[in-house]
Amino acid sequence: MERIIPFSPELSDHFRDLNLDWLEQYFYVEPHDRDLLDHCEEVIINKGGHIFFYQENDLICGTFALIKVTEDTYELGKMAVSKVARGKGIGQKMMRFCIDFAQQAGWKKLVLYSNTSLENSIHIYRKSGFIEVPIESGNPYARGNIKMEKNLSQSNS
């Protein structure tokens, strides 16, 4: 059985570990990552954000966060799938859930930061209706060389 479940404090290690595994495989862990991963409840949940987990049977094999930017704009971040579960479409399922959740919440926009070397991820984002927008100087991630957003008031999901 597969399902997407919301954050609970006992799952915070999964959030950290899934993301560290991914970051260490493709990039490196930045100070902003450490803050989000080591203190996810304080810096994401308690500030109006959300964290979700993809669960297959009893195994947590994916996660992502919706980090509050403004009342109606959230950053999709910290999306990771475990190595053993990659290639099963879990990223796309989490993306669909994320967009549905944001639309039901009445948000206007989702933004994300990524790196163009992550071709599979960029493909999923584009397929989900995200478009590239100019990236601001001083964006939160040194590895971030692309910013994308999805206007939720459009039906191009």
Side-chain angles (χ1 to χ4, degrees), residues 38-90:
D38 291 343
H39 309 286
C40 64
E41 194 164 3
E42 300 95 278
V43 298
I44 298 174
I45 301 294
N46 293 349
K47 292 185 176 180
H50 304 270
I51 297 173
F52 292 96
F53 299 91
Y54 186 91
Q55 183 178 26
E56 197 170 74
N57 298 316
D58 291 330
L59 182 67
I60 300 294
C61 49
T63 189
F64 67 92
L66 292 164
I67 304 163
K68 186 176 183 177
V69 178
T70 67
E71 287 302 315
D72 57 11
T73 300
Y74 282 71
E75 176 191 339
L76 168 59
K78 300 296 169 238
M79 182 180 278
V81 176
S82 67
K83 285 178 186 161
V84 296
R86 290 182 193 153
K88 296 181 175 181
I90 292 171

Side-chain angles (χ1 to χ4, degrees), residues 96-113:
R96 178 77 255 150
F97 178 92
C98 169
I99 292 168
D100 290 345
F101 182 87
Q103 288 174 323
Q104 290 171 8
W107 301 342
K108 290 192 170 117
K109 188 188 308 181
L110 287 173
V111 299
L112 62 85
Y113 298 90

